Amino acid sequence: MGHDSPPLRPDPADPYLRTDQTFPVLAGEMIARVAIFGKEEALPGGATLFHRGDRNVDFFLCLGGSIEILDSDLKGRESVVHAHTPGQFTGELDLFNDRKILVTGRATPGTRVIRVGRADFRRMIVAEPDIGEIVMRAFILRRVGMLLHGEAGVALIGPAHAADTARIESFLSRNALPHRRIDTETDPDAGGFLACLALEEADLPVVVAEGQVLRKPSNAQLADALGLTSAVDPEHVHDVVVVGAGPAGLAAAVYAASEGLDTIVIEGVAPGGQAGTSSKIENYLGFPTGISGQALAGRAQVQAQKFGARLLISRSAVGIDCAAHPYRLTLDDGATLKTRAVVVATGARYRKLDLPRYAELEGNGIYYAATAMEAGLCAAQDAVVVGGGNSAGQAAIYLSRSAGHVHILVRGPGLAATMSRYLIERIEASDRITLHPHCELVAIDGDKHLRALSWVNRRTGEQTRRDVGALFVMIGAAPNTDWLADCVALDQAGFVATGNGDSPYAASRAGIFAVGDVRAGSVKRVASGVGEGSVVIAAIHRYLESLAQ
């Protein structure tokens, strides 16, 4: 009997196995309703309906023949991902925005379609909610499938433990961009790729996409190359600009756009903010089994775009001119935009530890979020979590599934004052997690990657050194309000002071509002941020009405 490995079991999470939902066939009466919004066309075999890299493509419902969806590998070789047959439709999440699409669509001989233009597609999604639900579910599942299978021809090549590799992969993952990672430390194919592309170790990491080789790209360079960004008209006056796409900002965008306001969202990294890095949020209303921060943010982003909100990703606000109205915001790439009202939802940035060698090991074993990527990098090794809040508890529980052991360090006597009871109970019940009260990190060691940590018990003086795979620092955050300069009043800690006028979210200058973690006195919870973001729109309506009087 041979020693062949057993066949791999299908991944139950693979959307491509859920064909009824991922590639649904519309009933005849639904096809008739779609036809009202479009026009029927006959296409010759080989005709290209849309090409990878196009923007603003149309929606196609197949009536006869088939529409092949094509992916291409790093050498430009095409393969058929799926063939849409009669009753099935094309598209995925990029139909809700003006980003570059990720695949090519080609007709086979005898193909007939209903073509629905972009504007009419948006009208159809809102006017026909049962069809809209089927289409949106399919689009989300298709993007998840592309992510799972590493389709769409984007490759990240570099050592997995390098800080830039981790940064780029986090950027790609958090923006739901399908990609394949080639780890030059372990992947046997890596040498061939490096030789083929004439790359040296000093060039790494690189991203290969659209025939381009990007050496150590910044997030902004990646966003431009992959079509995440779009042009901004500096003279167009928006009703509201939402600065920050965390839970509060996305909620504001959803409600503003759904109520007819001209809405644009500016986000420096990826939708979700700090919540977007949470491995699982278990106390968010309506999700009894929990939901990852990235999944929650992804759904909210699609929801906002469904109603017409625009999202500018990898663009940060660096200043605001509030001396005149409409207000003018300046972005980090020099672009400007005008708006009647501003929602400040920039949240807060992670606090760091003051230790020698800390900066050089950030991203090389020191992290601020515990997602699948970081968990994989420290699998079977000890991990240390510093902090006693809910995010630290969630991280410890998530990491305990794959790490050798998880150590939680807190300066205080325990977790009761800072962490939800359900998380404390899980930590106490786990034999893979140890809490170390009254402890503080004093040293970190490593070469190119973190290798060991030392901490001291401030009560007993006992010092512990342990080999570790990763350190997760979750000790709070400082508000992202530098860009506001002297435009609005801040409290002593730098959070936006609110409660002026008729709204608890109104800042000291009319037409500027603050919601979520950046607001002084806010409850630092995902649900409260979502509540603030949705409620603030009523005050914005009143403000805009006052301008018209």
Side-chain angles (χ1 to χ4, degrees):
M1 194 170 182
H3 297 280
D4 292 338
S5 299
L8 293 175
R9 293 181 179 179
D11 185 345
D14 188 347
Y16 291 169
L17 300 178
R18 299 161 58 181
T19 53
D20 289 348
Q21 292 183 316
T22 307
F23 304 106
V25 178
L26 296 186
E29 63 88 17
M30 286 188 173
I31 292 175
R33 282 189 277 149
V34 171
I36 295 172
F37 294 87
K39 61 180 181 178
E40 186 173 332
E41 295 182 8
L43 300 171
T48 299
L49 285 72
F50 45 85
H51 194 276
R52 175 186 168 90
D54 289 346
R55 297 182 190 261
N56 300 311
V57 302
D58 294 334
F59 173 87
F60 295 90
L61 174 61
C62 184
L63 297 177
S66 64
I67 303 168
E68 294 179 331
I69 303 303
L70 307 172
D71 185 24
S72 56
D73 63 16
L74 297 180
K75 296 181 180 178
R77 296 173 298 199
E78 290 185 334
S79 60
V80 177
V81 176
H82 178 76
H84 294 293
T85 53
Q88 295 183 331
F89 50 83
T90 64
E92 55 102 35
L93 290 180
D94 285 338
L95 255 74
F96 287 109
N97 51 53
D98 56 359
R99 296 180 183 178
K100 293 180 182 178
I101 62 168
L102 302 172
V103 291
T104 296
R106 184 173 63 199
T108 61
T111 295
R112 290 182 303 111
V113 300
I114 296 172
R115 178 195 291 262
V116 181
R118 288 292 287 269
D120 292 323
F121 169 73
R122 288 185 184 275
R123 285 199 306 114
M124 180 188 75
I125 292 296
V126 175
E128 304 288 350
D130 56 339
I131 296 174
E133 181 179 347
I134 293 171
V135 169
M136 289 194 69
R137 181 189 297 117
F139 283 7
I140 292 170
L141 288 172
R142 290 173 191 179
R143 176 57 67 92
V144 172
M146 295 170 79
L147 284 164
L148 185 64
H149 292 275
E151 294 167 345
V154 176
L156 168 60
I157 306 172
H161 289 96
D164 277 331
T165 305
R167 170 184 59 81
I168 292 170
E169 180 153 35
S170 177
F171 180 83
L172 293 172
S173 297
R174 290 191 60 194
N175 282 289
L177 288 167
H179 62 281
R180 175 188 175 192
R181 186 182 77 192
I182 300 170
D183 183 357
T184 53
E185 296 173 332
T186 61
D187 196 318
D189 293 335
F193 277 109
L194 296 181
C196 177
L197 299 171
L199 296 170
E200 299 180 357
E201 187 174 345
D203 297 318
L204 302 178
V206 300
V207 173
V208 182
E210 299 283 341
Q212 303 177 76
V213 179
L214 307 172
R215 292 167 169 81
K216 295 182 179 177
S218 67
N219 289 351
Q221 289 170 327
L222 266 179
D224 289 341
L226 298 176
L228 289 183
T229 52
S230 56
V232 177
D233 180 353
E235 295 308 315
H236 174 76
V237 180
H238 300 86
D239 289 326
V240 58
V241 170
V242 180
V243 187
L250 288 172
V254 167
Y255 279 83
S258 69
E259 294 175 16
L261 297 182
D262 181 333
T263 307
I264 189 167
V265 185
I266 303 167
E267 169 53 47
V269 179
Q274 288 199 61
T277 67
S278 177
S279 53
K280 182 173 279 194
I281 302 168
E282 292 198 67
N283 57 358
Y284 189 71
L285 186 68
F287 294 89
T289 60
I291 184 171
S292 75
Q294 183 175 337
L296 185 64
R299 294 182 185 191
Q301 176 186 358
V302 174
Q303 199 172 11
Q305 291 174 330
K306 166 188 170 182
F307 291 118
R310 291 183 62 200
L311 270 75
L312 293 183
I313 300 298
S314 193
R315 292 295 181 266
S316 299
V318 295
I320 179 171
D321 179 2
C322 50
H325 199 270
Y327 299 125
R328 184 182 290 274
L329 279 76
T330 302
L331 308 185
D332 54 3
D333 63 351
T336 62
L337 49 84
K338 290 181 177 180
T339 182
R340 297 179 178 89
V342 179
V343 174
V344 180
T346 41
R349 56 188 176 274
Y350 301 110
R351 294 191 187 277
K352 303 179 181 183
L353 297 173
D354 184 14
L355 290 170
R357 307 205 57 220
Y358 185 89
E360 65 187 274
L361 292 173
E362 277 187 283
N364 292 319
I366 298 177
Y367 308 109
Y368 301 96
T371 67
M373 181 185 75
E374 291 86 8
L377 294 175
C378 64
Q381 305 172 73
D382 281 11
V384 171
V385 176
V386 177
N390 278 2
S391 59
Q394 290 161 352
I397 292 166
Y398 180 73
L399 292 166
S400 68
R401 302 175 192 171
S402 56
H405 198 84
V406 179
H407 302 270
I408 303 176
L409 306 186
V410 293
R411 290 184 174 185
L415 301 172
T418 55
M419 189 179 292
S420 295
R421 188 64 213 170
Y422 79 94
L423 290 171
I424 296 174
E425 290 173 354
R426 290 192 185 182
I427 289 168
E428 291 173 343
S430 175
D431 58 3
R432 299 172 65 88
I433 304 175
T434 301
L435 174 67
H436 301 270
H438 307 293
C439 285
E440 184 178 346
L441 275 183
V442 291
I444 55 178
D445 293 307
D447 38 40
K448 292 182 178 180
H449 188 269
L450 177 69
R451 301 297 177 196
L453 293 171
S454 298
W455 63 82
V456 64
N457 186 309
R458 292 299 185 191
R459 276 199 166 182
T460 66
E462 179 184 2
Q463 187 158 322
T464 302
R465 176 185 167 87
R466 191 174 295 272
D467 293 339
V468 299
L471 166 65
F472 296 86
V473 180
M474 297 177 168
I475 54 173
N480 289 315
T481 52
D482 295 346
W483 64 280
L484 287 168
D486 297 324
C487 187
V488 296
L490 308 176
D491 71 2
Q492 289 185 337
F495 293 88
V496 179
T498 57
N500 300 276
D502 66 346
S503 170
Y505 311 112
S508 58
R509 191 175 295 269
I512 300 180
F513 304 82
V515 294
D517 288 4
V518 76
R519 186 176 71 84
S522 65
V523 178
K524 308 302 191 265
R525 291 286 185 270
V526 173
S528 60
V530 169
E532 292 186 10
S534 58
V535 171
V536 74
I537 302 306
I540 290 175
H541 277 299
R542 291 194 297 271
Y543 172 71
L544 294 177
E545 289 168 3
S546 73
L547 295 179
Q549 293 174 357

